[in-house]
Amino acid sequence: KRSTMELKCLICLDLFTDPVSTPCGHNFCKSCLNQCWNNSQTYRCPFCKAHFKKRPDLKINTALRPVLELFREKSGLSKSEVLCDFCDDIKKKTDVQQMIQDRMKRIQDIRHLAKLSKVSRCQSELLEMMEQKQKAAEKQAEELIKELEQEITELKRRDTELEQLSHTEDHLLAFQAWIRVARDWSTTIREEVLFLWGCLFFICWFSIIALLFISYLSLLVDVTLDPDTAYPNLVLSDDGKQVTSKDIKHKLPNNPERFDYCPCVLAHEGFSSGRFYFEVQVKGMTDWDLGVARESINRKGIITAIPEAGYWIVVLRNGNNYLAGESSPVPLSLRVKPQVVGVFVDYEEGLVSFYDVESRSHIFSFTSQSFTEKLFPFFSPCKNEKGKIAAPLIISHASCNICTIQYTM
């Protein structure tokens, strides 16, 4: 004799409607399970989290449906009434589970509001800083105008002096006066023009950089590492934000998604349109690979990480050799050693750009690329040297890292 618990869907916690079974043997309403998988990029059992490589073909459980119909006929009650009459304890448990779900949703909402508030605050700080710089430039411009007006008065005086000298018979004295005025005038104009151009360049440059980082901040995505793709020597943190290369090779299933020769790992999240941006801390590392890769890349054996093979990456080797992964590797000359690297992708424009976040400088860009598949963030801490403790690659959380930068001009 079946209990009411066995006749309930594990998603909606109600009596089954069109019951279906997963390959792992758990039962759900057909509509509940379809809705769960329609909102996900992977297919897992909602109860035991068993992973299915492809979406199972759901068929009505013909053995369970007659039991449900017989149960309803004998009870003569609605589903909610059946639960109340047959198992009041289960209803109480359901109420508690609903309360847990409600509070978890409230936690998510609060975190989302806090994130929006932080972004808004950062944007306000940047705009306020830009306004202060502009006021300073305006003040300098006013002071310059006053100086120029004083120089105009002085030049008029000299002009009067020269006019008087032009009527003198001492031509040598007149010529020397003309030379002196011309030299003073040339020097003054050249210095002021250069100063004005410098002010204009500073205002434009700061505005562009500030707006660029505000734009990238709005595109910052929350990226986590996918353990199903990780090379067996890699160790991933519980939150999926850090990856370290170790000497010990773990015994893991050699599924199609996993890299089996190169120490690489992809993110869970993939993108097939629009623009996105993420940041990775590389502090203390001597070797690393960062960038994006398309979904259909070869993950078995030796990898040729170039755009033609579906990789758009920048690498560090031996502590100071930076290269862009073109068909012929492009050496990169960087002014400072990056501690945090930002990766920006514009899918429609075919653009992948890399930035040194702390120095606010551009590292390299792949341009005019053609993307036709989903792109996944790509990471490699490279192979660990025996006996040497390797630093981890750390993915920054989707927060206002950019706004912690001190803008000193």
Side-chain angles (χ1 to χ4, degrees):
K1 185 177 181 179
R2 294 178 179 266
S3 68
T4 55
M5 200 64 183
E6 294 175 309
L7 302 178
K8 289 173 54 182
C9 172
L10 296 174
I11 297 177
C12 67
L13 302 178
D14 211 340
L15 291 178
F16 288 115
T17 301
D18 293 332
V20 294
S21 299
T22 59
C24 56
H26 296 107
N27 300 315
F28 306 92
C29 294
K30 184 176 183 180
S31 60
C32 293
L33 191 53
N34 279 331
Q35 184 177 3
C36 180
W37 285 347
N38 288 341
N39 297 327
S40 175
Q41 297 177 351
T42 58
Y43 307 112
R44 299 179 183 270
C45 173
F47 182 74
C48 69
K49 305 303 181 182
H51 180 264
F52 312 122
K53 293 181 179 179
K54 64 178 183 178
R55 184 166 180 164
D57 184 17
L58 301 177
K59 295 182 179 180
I60 301 299
N61 189 326
T62 56
L64 185 58
R65 186 163 61 178
V67 176
L68 284 166
E69 293 176 352
L70 180 61
F71 182 77
R72 289 192 181 99
E73 289 177 1
K74 288 186 177 182
S75 66
L77 299 173
S78 65
K79 291 192 285 185
S80 59
E81 291 173 328
V82 169
L83 291 176
C84 291
D85 293 341
F86 281 84
C87 194
D88 187 58
D89 290 339
I90 294 178
K91 184 177 185 304
K92 291 179 180 179
K93 183 177 180 181
T94 303
D95 292 340
V96 172
Q97 291 175 345
Q98 184 61 45
M99 292 170 66
I100 293 173
Q101 292 178 359
D102 291 342
R103 279 152 180 77
M104 291 177 66
K105 185 177 184 303
R106 289 178 61 188
I107 290 174
Q108 293 176 351
D109 293 341
I110 292 171
R111 286 176 175 170
H112 180 65
L113 289 173
K115 185 187 298 182
L116 292 178
S117 175
K118 198 169 188 180
V119 170
S120 177
R121 177 176 57 81
C122 295
Q123 292 178 342
S124 299
E125 290 175 357
L126 283 174
L127 293 174
E128 182 180 354
M129 189 179 301
M130 290 172 61
E131 184 177 354
Q132 291 175 354
K133 296 291 184 182
Q134 175 134 8
K135 288 181 178 179
E138 291 175 354
K139 183 178 180 181
Q140 290 178 342
E142 291 177 357
E143 293 175 352
L144 177 59
I145 290 172
K146 291 180 179 179
E147 292 178 2
L148 290 174
E149 289 176 343
Q150 293 176 355
E151 290 176 0
I152 290 173
T153 302
E154 178 63 21
L155 289 172
K156 287 181 178 180
R157 185 189 64 78
R158 293 178 183 177
D159 181 62
T160 302
E161 179 183 348
L162 290 173
E163 178 66 23
Q164 295 173 352
L165 289 172
S166 65
H167 298 291
T168 183
E169 294 181 357
D170 190 342
H171 300 291
L172 178 59
L173 178 61
F175 178 75
Q176 290 174 341
W178 274 105
I179 292 297
R180 176 172 54 81
V181 172
R183 183 177 61 249
D184 294 343
W185 179 83
S186 176
T187 301
T188 300
I189 293 299
R190 183 170 59 253
E191 291 176 351
E192 303 306 340
V193 168
L194 289 175
F195 178 78
L196 283 173
W197 274 108
C199 290
L200 181 61
F201 174 80
F202 170 81
I203 293 172
C204 293
W205 177 84
F206 182 81
S207 300
I208 291 172
I209 292 297
L211 292 175
L212 177 64
F213 276 102
I214 291 175
S215 175
Y216 280 10
L217 178 62
S218 66
L219 301 172
L220 194 63
V221 293
D222 192 15
V223 175
T224 54
L225 301 170
D226 184 0
D228 290 338
T229 67
Y231 176 68
N233 278 53
L234 299 182
V235 177
L236 277 57
S237 62
D238 293 339
D239 62 357
K241 293 290 185 180
Q242 300 187 30
V243 55
T244 309
S245 181
K246 298 290 186 181
D247 292 335
I248 303 175
K249 189 172 185 178
H250 301 87
K251 293 183 179 180
L252 299 173
N254 189 21
N255 49 290
E257 298 87 356
R258 190 178 306 282
F259 293 91
D260 67 352
Y261 185 83
C262 297
C264 310
V265 61
L266 298 179
H268 271 297
E269 298 76 14
F271 306 87
S272 56
S273 63
R275 297 180 294 172
F276 62 95
Y277 173 78
F278 61 95
E279 296 177 353
V280 184
Q281 179 179 310
V282 296
K283 183 178 180 180
M285 302 193 68
T286 58
D287 300 86
W288 51 257
D289 298 0
L290 287 177
V292 294
R294 65 185 178 212
E295 189 171 17
S296 64
I297 54 171
N298 174 38
R299 310 181 190 195
K300 306 300 181 183
I302 298 175
I303 291 173
T304 304
I306 59 176
E308 289 80 1
Y311 294 85
W312 292 268
I313 66 171
V314 165
V315 307
L316 168 64
R317 294 291 181 269
N318 301 320
N320 56 11
N321 295 326
Y322 295 88
L323 302 169
E326 294 276 18
S327 300
S328 296
V330 178
L332 304 176
S333 178
L334 304 185
R335 183 170 54 88
V336 294
K337 186 179 180 68
Q339 303 298 306
V340 180
V341 176
V343 183
F344 170 74
V345 177
D346 189 323
Y347 192 96
E348 282 73 20
E349 290 295 327
L351 173 67
V352 181
S353 294
F354 299 82
Y355 296 89
D356 181 344
V357 174
E358 293 186 353
S359 68
R360 306 180 301 282
S361 59
H362 175 256
I363 297 176
F364 183 81
S365 288
F366 294 93
T367 60
S368 302
Q369 304 298 304
S370 179
F371 302 137
T372 58
E373 298 178 23
K374 186 175 289 187
L375 298 179
F376 289 83
F378 172 90
F379 312 87
S380 174
C382 299
K383 291 187 177 180
N384 178 262
E385 297 180 12
K386 291 185 178 181
K388 183 177 180 181
I389 301 176
L393 281 174
I394 304 175
I395 304 172
S396 300
H397 289 270
S399 60
C400 190
N401 294 340
I402 295 173
C403 293
T404 62
I405 301 171
Q406 298 297 321
Y407 286 87
T408 56
M409 304 299 178

